[in-house]
Amino acid sequence: VVPDGDGQLHSMSDLYHRATHAQWDAEADIAWDHALNPDNPLAMPDATIPIAADPIWGRMDDRQKAELRRNLQGWHISQILHGERASLLCAGKLVLSAEDPAVKAAATMQAVDEVRHIDVYTRLVDKIGTPYPVSPSLDRLICDVLSDSDSDLAALGMQILIEGLALAFFKSLQMYSNDPLVKQLQSLVVRDEARHFAAGQLYLAHRHRALDEAELARREEFVCDAFALLDKYLYADEIWEPAGLSQRECAGLSRSSEQSAIMHRVLFRQLVPAVRAIGLLRDKTRAAFEGMGILDYANFPV
Ligand SMILES: [Fe+2]
Ligand SMILES: [Fe+2]
């Protein structure tokens, strides 16, 4: 067993039972009639915008600032939606392939949760009004995860890396958003995702103990490649031109911004302890994490 989001210990079948008791309804349990602020749909402070500390932001008028907020927020929630769709496919893969009935049951409940999340984020993207296609780095990661015939790798990619990415972003939304609808739906979704993240760790920690050296090395390689993609994903490079700004200039600014550094810390603080918990903190991952400046997180609790 590993700790879940509440810091308590739960076995896989406990997670399944908890999931059955924690079901909620996307239509009935969220106040969808609430109108979002068109100039700042997620009600986020401007300090969370990667270029907000640069003089370029000060030169923008209110209309341009609102346009950038809509694009940035629409991009983030669209990526979450693409991740949710991929999570449903991975959960389905695990339902089909798992031999342990408790793993099958937990994955089935996860599939139900992911259908609900797709519903919720489809509605939220519609309300924001600036949908985005899947970003190139997230697309690569999702394709790598889904195309692999090994269902353990699907679970590693999805339940640890993509769920971890989503949880890190959700934490910042919960911390900063001032909108009651966003807060309400996030608190419901995060409860589900914390269960998925815990189930992924339980399942993989167990599976990895039975693997030989070559199979473990392949997973280590997969984690290193995925971390490099996630590192790139953090910079929402696609939003600048639609918001009327120079892509080249803003992509550069966002890479050196304090805001991106904070997101980087939140993301890898979430992922590195999980990699350790599933037995994949080994020579190659250790060296890669050291190179990215994130190895210290390995000592943190999950
Ligand atoms: Fe989800
Ligand atoms: Fe999930």
Side-chain angles (χ1 to χ4, degrees):
V1 288
V2 292
D4 75 352
D6 308 326
Q8 293 166 318
L9 298 172
H10 297 283
S11 70
M12 190 66 96
S13 103
D14 284 343
L15 285 169
Y16 155 68
H17 287 292
R18 274 157 47 96
T20 63
H21 292 295
Q23 291 300 301
W24 48 280
D25 184 81
E27 170 71 33
D29 295 332
I30 296 176
W32 290 109
D33 53 356
H34 169 77
L36 301 177
N37 174 358
D39 291 342
N40 186 3
L42 300 181
M44 298 286 278
D46 286 341
T48 60
I49 295 171
I51 61 164
D54 192 85
I56 199 172
W57 176 255
R59 289 195 296 273
M60 290 164 68
D61 64 26
D62 287 349
R63 191 191 53 77
Q64 291 170 312
K65 286 180 180 176
E67 194 60 38
L68 178 57
R69 289 188 205 99
R70 276 194 295 273
N71 277 281
L72 179 63
Q73 296 171 9
W75 183 88
H76 272 297
I77 301 299
S78 297
Q79 303 316 312
I80 293 294
L81 176 57
H82 297 301
E84 297 290 0
R85 290 182 180 136
S87 294
L88 173 60
L89 296 177
C90 280
K93 217 169 165 173
L94 202 53
V95 173
L96 288 175
S97 65
E99 283 160 22
D100 183 327
V103 174
K104 226 182 239 305
T108 304
M109 292 313 293
Q110 183 183 341
V112 175
D113 294 340
E114 305 301 9
V115 169
R116 188 170 50 240
H117 300 169
I118 292 168
D119 185 357
V120 164
Y121 290 111
T122 299
R123 292 169 192 242
L124 187 58
V125 168
D126 280 353
K127 274 176 103 70
I128 296 173
T130 38
Y132 268 84
V134 62
S135 87
S137 53
L138 184 61
D139 192 36
R140 254 284 310 278
L141 182 55
I142 290 175
C143 287
D144 287 354
V145 168
L146 287 175
S147 63
D148 205 288
S149 58
D150 190 329
S151 62
D152 283 13
L153 270 180
L156 171 59
M158 193 53 58
Q159 288 184 293
I160 303 298
L161 304 175
I162 297 180
E163 303 265 6
L165 168 68
L167 273 174
F169 175 68
F170 293 159
K171 279 181 182 167
S172 80
L173 254 188
Q174 272 184 313
M175 203 170 359
Y176 294 118
S177 173
N178 272 320
D179 183 89
L181 169 72
V182 174
K183 277 185 174 306
Q184 184 191 26
L185 74 86
Q186 281 310 129
S187 73
L188 289 165
V189 171
V190 162
R191 232 170 47 190
D192 297 341
E193 297 300 359
R195 268 196 323 271
H196 305 165
F197 194 61
Q201 286 170 65
L202 263 176
Y203 172 68
L204 291 168
H206 176 74
R207 295 287 295 184
H208 290 166
R209 277 196 289 275
L211 295 183
D212 64 23
E213 185 52 39
E215 289 170 315
L216 285 171
R218 179 158 176 256
R219 278 147 182 84
E220 248 189 303
E221 185 89 41
F222 181 86
V223 167
C224 293
D225 291 349
F227 269 44
L229 285 171
L230 289 169
D231 200 24
K232 266 191 225 138
Y233 165 83
L234 285 178
Y235 312 108
D237 288 339
E238 299 93 297
I239 66 166
W240 309 113
E241 266 172 19
L245 295 162
S246 150
Q247 202 273 342
R248 217 168 53 91
E249 186 181 13
C250 293
L253 285 173
S254 73
R255 274 161 182 72
S256 54
S257 73
E258 176 56 20
Q259 188 48 40
S260 296
I262 292 170
M263 267 314 288
H264 191 272
R265 281 200 291 276
V266 174
L267 172 61
F268 292 109
R269 160 70 186 85
Q270 182 81 40
L271 295 180
V272 173
V275 170
R276 185 206 65 225
I278 57 173
L280 292 183
L281 188 66
R282 293 154 40 97
D283 291 349
K284 193 174 162 84
T285 38
R286 207 180 280 279
F289 295 174
E290 175 113 68
M292 292 172 74
I294 55 175
L295 183 58
D296 286 350
Y297 298 139
N299 301 317
F300 286 41
V302 177

